[in-house]
Amino acid sequence: MSRTSKTVTAVLLAAALAALAVPVGLNLAPGFLADIRGGAATTSVPAAQQEPTALATLGGISALSQDAPLPSKEALATALDAALATDKGDFTAVVQDAATGQELYSRNGTAARIPASNLKLLTSLAALKTLGAGTTLPTTVLAGPTPSSLVLRGAGDSLLTAGPSDPAAVVGRAGLATLAQQTAAALAAAGTTGPVTLAVDDTLFTGPALNPKWLEGDVDAGEIAPIYPMALYGGRPDPAGAPALRPQDSALSVGAAFADALSAAGVQVAPGVSRGTAGDGARTVAEVRSATVGEQVEYLLQQSDNYVAEVMGRLVALAAHEPGSAEGATSAVRSTVASMGVNTDGMVLTDCSGLAEGNWVSAQQLAQAVALMAADPDEDLRAGLRGLPIAGLSGTLGERYRDAATLAGAGLVRAKTGTLNEDLSLSGYVVDADGRLLVFSFVGNSFKDGSAAAKPAVDAAATILAGCGCTGS
């Protein structure tokens, strides 16, 4: 890293340390905004924008006040209209005050647009609501129909790894080597000595593993792969595997890796891995459990992981008593967010990651999803806020907000990105210079010169919000 890059990173880190304290206040009620509604301001500069004196931990916004002035709608409109003005595409946008829900700015904000990966906000919201942030997902070895047979059953952990379980990791909280060691010990205790046969049970999900709305080119490029209820490394061949080499049958790939782990643990395994079920009441031989749903949601939002998002969507469907299929997932996500207060008029979902053709979501709906994560008294929802990348520092925003026009937003803007060839989106929140928590969504479509050329506009718009002392005075 060059000296310049190190200096920029240090500046961004200093700006972000206080921002890291923003996402959750687990002891606040009702929800994230409790102190905003009832506290008194202790400083003219919001805590989230002060220079930090120590590394922050995730906590509430205790220094914000209901007395902080709201931005002037007119001043916001002037600044944001200028930032989003372009003849190269079509921007829609919404900005609202998180504490009151008041809409402060709308640029055709109710119009349905292609949301790109911002659709993951809806999937994450539905997953946290229906599954619970603290839920973990088991991967289980069951006794098969014969004494020397085993069945490996998946329950939705797509972040398995081949090595030992790592209690500090999200990818690899459950490891096949640990599962194999448990299995070997159980087989030895039972006196099983002969070759064991291994089958995988991937019947949790139904319907086509590949969503027909995904473009063949995106599948070939490794943007997504067939969805199964167990997978290694988010449906990748290894942690650093080339996207185009994604396994086309993740369940059997997990089975093959588990067979290797069993062999390494001293179990004689018969050649070949088949598909099969253990039957009702089968004895559990061994089990490992995933990272929590909340941790997986944070991961999928930070990394914009399509595979994990699609798995979460199917788990939402099952929790909502719908089929664990692509269609069941989109139906369940839409109905769940509607039940939570998101206005779903005009919303069309064809997948749960935002990669498919035919998705239509408005900026207002995306802003409502972020606002629910911030204001709802359900603490589980706040995991979604922790997953939002930090401008200039983490996830899919790690390399943005590093130029003169947007540096003022670095460390302060937290938002989910979305990028397709001609479409992009950015939805999240920021504490403005007056101490007001603002929720925003910017969605741009039809950029004929490509979406990359439009990123500076949405980043500049969010930076305007971060620096806004837009009281109109």
Side-chain angles (χ1 to χ4, degrees):
M1 181 182 291
S2 68
R3 180 177 299 177
T4 300
S5 296
K6 289 179 179 178
T7 300
V8 170
T9 299
V11 171
L12 298 185
L13 180 59
L17 291 180
L20 285 171
V22 170
V24 288
L26 296 181
N27 59 338
L28 302 183
F32 180 56
L33 298 168
D35 284 335
I36 298 176
R37 293 180 175 133
T42 59
T43 176
S44 60
V45 180
Q49 293 202 348
Q50 293 180 46
E51 183 177 351
T53 57
L55 182 64
T57 56
L58 294 171
I61 307 182
S62 57
L64 298 185
S65 169
Q66 63 182 355
D67 297 326
L70 280 170
S72 158
K73 293 183 179 180
E74 292 76 14
L76 270 186
T78 298
L80 293 178
D81 282 347
L84 298 175
T86 177
D87 59 358
K88 302 295 186 181
D90 171 32
F91 273 116
T92 62
V94 163
V95 178
Q96 67 181 67
D97 176 54
T100 64
Q102 180 180 349
E103 188 172 273
L104 303 174
Y105 175 78
S106 177
R107 182 186 179 97
N108 206 13
T110 61
R113 292 291 186 265
I114 298 169
S117 279
N118 272 204
L119 194 153
K120 292 182 177 74
L121 289 167
L122 302 178
T123 301
S124 297
L125 184 65
L128 293 169
K129 183 66 174 179
T130 60
L131 303 174
T135 298
T136 58
L137 309 169
T139 301
T140 310
V141 178
L142 300 170
T146 68
S148 60
S149 63
L150 299 172
V151 176
L152 179 66
R153 184 168 66 190
D157 188 357
S158 60
L159 296 175
L160 294 161
T161 58
S165 298
D166 183 350
V170 175
V171 181
R173 179 72 55 84
L176 296 183
T178 297
L179 187 63
Q181 290 163 2
Q182 293 177 10
T183 303
L187 292 174
T192 303
T193 58
V196 298
T197 62
L198 179 64
V200 295
D201 179 355
D202 62 355
T203 58
L204 184 68
F205 295 164
T206 57
L210 272 179
N211 188 326
K213 294 293 185 179
W214 291 329
L215 295 176
E216 183 177 346
D218 286 334
V219 176
D220 291 344
E223 296 293 338
I224 196 62
I227 304 300
Y228 290 90
M230 54 180 158
L232 292 164
Y233 314 110
R236 296 173 178 83
D238 56 69
L245 299 178
R246 282 181 182 267
Q248 296 305 293
D249 192 323
S250 287
L252 287 181
S253 294
V254 172
F258 183 59
D260 291 342
L262 283 174
S263 296
V267 177
Q268 187 177 1
V269 183
V273 178
S274 61
R275 281 189 160 84
T277 58
D280 296 336
R283 176 174 55 88
T284 297
V285 175
E287 182 179 280
V288 289
R289 301 191 75 92
S290 71
T292 66
V293 167
E295 290 168 324
Q296 293 196 52
V297 163
E298 292 177 41
Y299 171 86
L300 79 86
L301 290 173
Q302 279 280 327
Q303 304 302 321
S304 201
D305 193 296
N306 293 326
Y307 199 99
V308 179
E310 294 297 336
V311 169
M312 282 293 164
R314 294 194 183 210
L315 293 175
V316 169
L318 293 169
H321 307 291
E322 296 201 38
S325 62
E327 289 185 355
T330 54
S331 173
V333 167
R334 188 179 188 278
S335 62
T336 298
V337 299
S339 73
M340 299 174 70
V342 175
N343 180 358
T344 56
D345 291 349
M347 179 186 292
V348 179
L349 305 183
T350 58
D351 74 354
C352 293
S353 60
L355 184 65
E357 289 189 310
N359 288 309
W360 294 101
V361 181
S362 71
Q364 182 187 75
Q365 290 161 344
L366 294 169
Q368 287 175 343
V370 177
L372 279 168
M373 292 177 182
D376 195 282
D378 184 350
E379 293 180 358
D380 281 0
L381 303 187
R382 297 172 209 163
L385 295 180
R386 290 194 294 271
L388 295 179
I390 304 172
L393 277 171
S394 68
T396 53
L397 282 181
E399 298 302 319
R400 290 163 63 172
Y401 291 82
R402 288 172 175 256
D403 59 18
T406 60
L407 189 61
L412 298 176
V413 174
R414 296 201 68 162
K416 178 71 192 78
T417 60
T419 307
L420 295 172
N421 289 338
E422 295 183 355
D423 312 294
L424 82 162
S425 49
L426 188 72
S427 300
Y429 69 90
V430 67
V431 179
D432 75 8
D434 287 326
R436 207 77 197 189
L437 182 66
L438 305 179
V439 170
F440 64 87
S441 178
F442 306 122
V443 183
N445 285 178
S446 303
F447 292 103
K448 301 305 181 185
D449 293 339
S451 60
K455 285 181 181 179
V458 293
D459 290 350
T463 299
I464 287 169
L465 295 179
C468 189
C470 307
T471 60
S473 57

